Amino acid sequence: MKLKFQFTLAFMLSVLCLICFSGVAILISGSKIVAFDHDVISFIQGFESPLLTTIMKFFTFIGSTPAVAVISLFSLFFLYKVLKHRTELILFIAIIIGSPILNGLLKLLFHRARPNFHRLIEINGYSFPSGHAMSAFAIYGILSFLLWRHIPTRWGRTLLILICSIMILAIGISRIYLGVHYPSDVIGGYFASGCWVAIAIWFYQRYQEKEFEQRRPNQSEE
């Protein structure tokens, strides 16, 4: 019953994220979110200081491809050696590899130029959706899902969600602060990655349900 609930929840979340992403994309295509983007950028960059710039560059680095690769390898080792996960490794790898592929395809589809005012770092490529936001949501989202069931205490689970949420938000905000993404790029990235993660979990839970159904007749015979 619990597995069926998770199965249904993952599907519903994937649909919800897809609808929200589509809404953001429509607003961007119709240039109806320009004022929102500019207001949020002005607000966040209003806190600019040398110390905060250093902190934001650190979080941007944490969300970069090399850092994500290192974190992913460490996570794979931990899941395999410490928690003895097996099938979960396939889910983890699929999500981490699929996220940048999906991001590249979406950027080619939308062709949105990056902000051209007050950049604190220089970077090329299209803007929507944010690759850093998608990678951050993918890796910390799936880690939350996989580690949740192995943490026995409520405060431990709360701490897990809190840390992962802070990392996701900090990486996204760093891209806005540094002037290389619009807020809608980051929000769209979260929804796109949320849809991808939820779909992947949906397929994983479906596989788990089939495995459970196949084992149940054998257990009844015994």
Side-chain angles (χ1 to χ4, degrees):
M1 187 69 177
K2 184 178 180 181
L3 194 59
K4 286 184 178 293
F5 172 76
Q6 293 175 350
F7 180 74
T8 304
L9 181 61
F11 177 77
M12 293 177 62
L13 286 175
S14 67
V15 173
L16 178 62
C17 287
L18 179 59
I19 293 172
C20 291
F21 175 81
S22 300
V24 174
I26 291 171
L27 290 174
I28 291 173
S29 299
S31 300
K32 297 179 180 179
I33 203 168
V34 175
F36 168 80
D37 280 334
H38 286 196
D39 288 345
V40 174
I41 290 174
S42 297
F43 175 76
I44 292 177
Q45 290 189 335
F47 295 96
E48 182 182 345
S49 69
L51 176 59
L52 187 56
T53 299
T54 301
I55 294 173
M56 290 301 173
K57 285 183 177 179
F58 168 76
F59 279 112
T60 273
F61 172 74
I62 292 297
S64 66
T65 300
V68 170
V70 172
I71 295 172
S72 297
L73 289 174
F74 176 80
S75 300
L76 285 170
F77 177 82
F78 180 79
L79 292 171
Y80 183 79
K81 289 292 186 181
V82 179
L83 300 182
K84 307 299 182 183
H85 285 198
R86 296 296 185 271
T87 57
E88 290 90 340
L89 297 181
I90 300 175
L91 173 64
F92 183 88
I93 293 171
I95 287 176
I96 299 304
I97 293 178
S99 180
I101 294 175
L102 177 61
N103 178 255
L105 293 174
L106 291 173
K107 283 187 174 181
L108 289 175
L109 176 63
F110 289 100
H111 282 78
R112 191 187 196 189
R114 293 183 183 272
N116 57 3
F117 48 91
H118 195 53
R119 289 191 191 179
L120 298 180
I121 61 174
E122 287 300 325
I123 189 171
N124 298 318
Y126 295 118
S127 188
F128 179 80
S130 167
H132 276 63
M134 287 189 66
S135 293
F137 195 99
I139 189 168
Y140 294 108
I142 191 57
L143 283 176
S144 296
F145 173 77
L146 295 177
L147 297 178
W148 174 274
R149 67 192 70 184
H150 294 280
I151 300 177
T153 61
R154 179 176 296 180
W155 72 266
R157 291 179 173 180
T158 301
L159 184 62
L160 170 68
I161 298 301
L162 182 62
I163 292 174
C164 289
S165 298
I166 289 174
M167 292 302 297
I168 291 171
L169 290 174
I171 291 171
I173 291 172
S174 74
R175 305 304 283 171
I176 302 170
Y177 176 91
L178 296 172
V180 294
H181 275 298
Y182 294 103
S184 52
D185 296 333
V186 174
I187 295 171
Y190 289 153
F191 284 132
S193 190
C195 181
W196 167 240
V197 171
I199 288 174
I201 291 176
W202 181 79
F203 276 105
Y204 172 76
Q205 296 288 59
R206 186 178 182 183
Y207 169 79
Q208 291 285 87
E209 186 179 32
K210 286 183 177 180
E211 287 289 303
F212 176 76
E213 293 295 335
Q214 289 176 358
R215 288 196 300 266
R216 191 161 59 179
N218 295 332
Q219 291 174 352
S220 300
E221 291 175 4
E222 294 176 359

